[in-house]
Amino acid sequence: MLAELRARARDALEPAHWDYFEGGAGDERTLRANEEAFARVRLVPRVLRATGPRDLRTTLLGTELRAPILVAPTAFHRLAHRDGELATAAGAAAAGAGYVVSMAATTPVEAIAAVAGPWWFQLYLQPDRDFTAALVRRVEAAGCRALVVSVDSPVFGRRERDHRNGFHDLPAGLCCENLRDAAGAVRDIAMDAGLGWAAIGWLRGITGLPIVLKGVLHPADAELAVEHGVSGLIVSNHGGRQLDGAVATADALPAVAKAVGGRLPVLVDGGVRRGADILAALALGADAVLVGRPVLWGLAAGGADGVRLVLDSLAEDLDRVLALAGVRTPAAVPPDLVVSP
Ligand SMILES: Cc1cc2nc3c(=O)[nH]c(=O)nc-3n(C[C@H](O)[C@H](O)[C@H](O)COP(=O)(O)O)c2cc1C
Ligand SMILES: CCCCCCC(=O)C(=O)O
């Protein structure tokens, strides 16, 4: 089903936009490694566990979800479909999934909030702290439930497909709508190689929202994140779009989860394409997963209905594989469900 939606998305999109959505950094080694790492996992199901109907409901940082599945923050949804982030938000809400709105959304958060279920907002902390603080105030006022700070982007990864295609700017009429300053002018997103842990402390001081760090791969950084008072972590390599050669997320997850030791929720993204991948992620120590490109395929192929189809089918697939593995709830997935290859 996902493969069919992917093919339809490819047909629907301009080639340069398809490449932007689909591509990764450098030789795309990490992009491929994410899916390969999940494909390598082998599961050891239990039998005769009398699980009955499964219960996929999951609560993360006070946000209640139908299943442990969220939409990963991805930029520029109006390039994929005319309804853009409004379609993503409506599709995610209909599927009971969480939605992490990208800072590079092409729709204002107030309009997204009007049709969304529970939503979080992804931030690149800007060197202009007053501008960042104003944006935090704006998303708080719009009803955001958590801030997801992307920490894997001190500079932009080298996306060779975009260089080849000359894709550097949004077409006329589209912009990052949440980057307007007080005068209404749209700013560019600045990646900030000067960012350190003090910036997280600064953010902690200006908001009461839970702060989730996205892009952690090393267990020592997971430990530091706990020490700096963050509320959650996302094990992510940005879908292979930043440091090419970075470890696959399914491979990084167990050590990060062990370092966190249950003190915070740990989420993972990158290469999640099947219910069995979600099951594996849970067994490897995740509390939930985020899904990036498949949601974009659904959006490009069918707007809100396409997004819903992707998320519903992942939740239904997870329900089936939980039953097949002899487990009733996501939280009950045991570590010994996976064996190392
Ligand atoms: C087209 C595209 C745009 C993205 N934009 C953002 C973004 O704005 N902010 C961010 O933190 N991550 C961004 N990401 C990374 C995703 O949040 C996520 O980490 C990644 O897509 C997960 O891998 P998957 O696509 O294999 O599911 C983007 C990914 C893609 C594919
Ligand atoms: C200059 C706009 C930057 C948008 C960043 C989107 C992103 O993170 C991506 O992976 O693409």
Side-chain angles (χ1 to χ4, degrees):
M1 200 279 300
L2 282 191
E4 190 189 318
L5 278 179
R6 181 173 180 271
R8 282 173 50 200
R10 186 173 198 153
D11 288 346
L13 291 173
E14 284 186 29
H17 298 165
W18 167 258
D19 272 346
Y20 168 71
F21 288 129
E22 197 66 3
D27 289 326
E28 302 188 337
R29 293 175 186 168
T30 296
L31 171 62
R32 287 189 295 277
N34 280 342
E35 286 193 27
E36 287 164 6
F38 278 115
R40 269 201 322 273
V41 171
R42 291 293 171 268
L43 302 165
V44 189
R46 301 295 304 271
V47 297
L48 297 173
R49 306 287 285 185
T51 54
R54 278 69 54 205
D55 182 354
L56 271 58
R57 287 173 300 173
T58 300
T59 301
L60 291 171
L61 305 175
T63 297
E64 290 171 18
L65 306 173
R66 167 187 166 201
I69 302 172
L70 299 92
V71 175
T74 53
F76 307 159
H77 287 194
R78 288 180 65 202
L79 272 188
H81 189 274
R82 63 182 178 279
D83 298 335
E85 287 82 4
L86 294 180
T88 311
Y99 175 22
V100 185
V101 177
S102 166
M103 184 169 177
T106 42
T107 308
V109 284
E110 295 78 7
I112 295 173
V115 296
W119 61 282
W120 301 355
F121 188 78
Q122 174 265 327
L123 264 182
Y124 290 110
L125 287 173
Q126 298 298 285
D128 181 342
R129 292 285 189 267
D130 290 343
F131 178 77
T132 308
L135 179 54
V136 169
R137 295 281 91 82
R138 179 176 171 184
V139 301
E140 285 173 344
C144 169
R145 306 241 196 128
L147 293 172
V148 173
V149 181
S150 295
V151 292
D152 55 12
S153 305
V155 296
F156 211 53
R158 184 177 164 80
R159 321 270 173 85
E160 300 199 352
R161 298 194 204 201
D162 295 345
H163 286 282
R164 275 199 302 275
N165 293 329
F167 177 70
H168 302 298
D169 288 314
L170 283 168
L174 297 187
C175 69
C176 294
E177 286 288 351
N178 300 297
L179 289 178
R180 291 188 187 279
D181 62 21
V186 180
R187 300 209 176 182
D188 287 336
I189 292 180
M191 303 293 179
D192 184 4
L195 215 58
W197 286 101
I200 304 303
W202 171 82
L203 184 63
R204 177 73 296 139
I206 66 150
T207 183
L209 287 176
I211 295 171
V212 178
L213 295 193
K214 174 172 182 281
V216 173
L217 294 170
H218 199 296
D221 284 336
E223 185 60 54
L224 284 167
V226 175
E227 286 169 19
H228 284 82
V230 308
S231 304
L233 290 183
I234 303 176
V235 175
S236 175
N237 52 37
H238 215 107
R241 295 163 73 83
Q242 287 297 105
L243 176 63
D244 194 31
V247 61
T249 49
D251 292 333
L253 174 59
V256 170
K258 187 173 173 209
V260 169
R263 290 175 286 175
L264 315 170
V266 174
L267 287 70
V268 66
D269 72 21
V272 174
R273 303 291 181 263
R274 293 271 179 190
D277 300 337
I278 305 174
L279 184 63
L282 298 172
L284 293 169
D287 296 286
V289 302
L290 300 93
V291 182
R293 292 178 183 83
V295 170
L296 295 169
W297 303 335
L299 177 64
D305 289 344
V307 170
R308 180 181 186 168
L309 184 60
V310 167
L311 295 166
D312 276 347
S313 73
L314 284 171
E316 283 157 19
D317 201 25
L318 175 61
D319 182 68
R320 181 177 305 104
V321 296
L322 276 171
L324 289 167
V327 187
R328 202 179 76 80
T329 67
V333 173
D336 67 359
L337 187 67
V338 294
V339 279
S340 307

